[in-house]
Amino acid sequence: MTIDRSALAERAQGMIDALASISAEPGRLTRLYLSEEHKAAARLVSEWMRDAGLTVRMDAAGSVRGTLPAGRSAQTTERRLLIGSHIDTVVDGGRFDGTLGVIAGILAVENLRARGVALPFGLEVIAFGDEEGVRFPKTLIGSSTVAGILDTTALDTVDADGVTMSEALRAFGGDPHALDDEAYASDDVLGYLEVHIEQGPVLEQAGKPLGAVSAIASQGRYRITIIGEAGHAGTVPMAVRHDALAAAAEVILAIEAAATKRSADSCVATVGALQVSPGASNVIPGAATFSLDLRAATDESRTTAAAEVRDYLRDVGHRRGVKVSMDAVHEKPVATCAPRLGKAIGGAIERVTGAPPVTMMSGAGHDGQAMVSLTEIGMMFVRCRGGISHNPLEFVEPDDMGVAVLALSETVRTLADDSGQG
Ligand code: GLV
Ligand code: MN
Ligand code: MN
């Protein structure tokens, strides 16, 4: 198993490096949905999938999908086990977020085939094109398409250059009119597995390379707009101003407080983007628009925090004489991992690492949040250095990647044995 593992670690590292070289910006890793770089990454992933023995196609939403038929002659099923993650990145992101899951899926297929394991069900490895929701203000486009829950109003959203998702999708080679045809029926799938870097410090602190995920946190993204009155910075007395940015500052501190007081529920809130208009040093801000990303271990905690922010915003509006609005752009309830898949993942981790698995909640969002509408989901986390992610310093030890591939292969093998068909 040791030789196997170091060879897999080396393969995974080479693939991570190859994908990391495909970026829109020299010296930083930025690969957005439906960009030229996404296309180049999709081509490379397609080649790897073909080499692993998968039959590959690009679907209408730009996801790369590689299938393997059931391998056992008797007692097989046409139903498929899905394995996936994403190949888009945030701006100046890390090289492992998403890509590791796709690479692990491909290498697990390769590993199973090399060991002569014939499965009683089909497999599909999927490289989703949009999980991050950076280019357009919508997330999980690829996985929502496969799960059959895509809200097609997403197609009308625009990027920073005014290009609609629909236009970008056509230019990419996708088909906005064929998205419905890409969805699976629940009866045709056996579950969804995803390997992902932890993006937090728990595994490193526990001294374990892998963990089993119990659930993905409740998540909401909102756009908050405050309209005040622009004016001369030198002449308008403080008492009569309607400064949109000062109002926003108050609201942002209230957001921080709303999450902090719910820390027992792992509630976290982030204002990561802020636009001020007109944006000049001698003009009182007339408008401020900012993002809010709010997450918690329970739906109740997340929705009550959002309601509290909404009330506070309204109050600031009255007190300061500014117009306010708060629109939800993305909302997902807690996505619970299926005990059946968690057990298979936990058992595989224990057999491969020799120690019982750590089980943890995911604060980060994942494609499983969409896939859970279609089928049962299971996730495996891989230790990353310092828990750092969405950052170029993101780092995973090659050996941990090798272990992850082995544990994923072992999970698939366990599910094959458990299916009672082989
Ligand atoms: C995706 O990485 C998210 O958690 O926002
Ligand atoms: Mn990710
Ligand atoms: Mn991410």
Side-chain angles (χ1 to χ4, degrees), residues 79 147 184-191 373-375:
R79 296 173 83 196
Y184 270 111
S186 291
D187 284 349
D188 293 337
V189 285
L190 291 163
S373 300
L374 170 74
T375 186

Side-chain angles (χ1 to χ4, degrees), residues 203 208-213 345 349 357-360 379-382:
L203 289 171
K208 307 246 174 133
L210 303 176
V213 178
I345 289 169
I349 291 175
V358 174
T359 299
M360 73 190 81
M379 282 197 80
M380 185 191 300
F381 271 172
V382 186

Side-chain angles (χ1 to χ4, degrees), residues 85-86 88 96-99 131-132 194 196-197 199 364-367 389-390:
S85 198
H86 60 99
D88 64 324
F96 302 89
D97 178 359
T99 51
E131 184 271 344
E132 302 286 8
E194 178 166 354
H196 201 283
I197 61 163
Q199 306 180 282
H366 297 291
D367 290 297
S389 184
H390 282 189

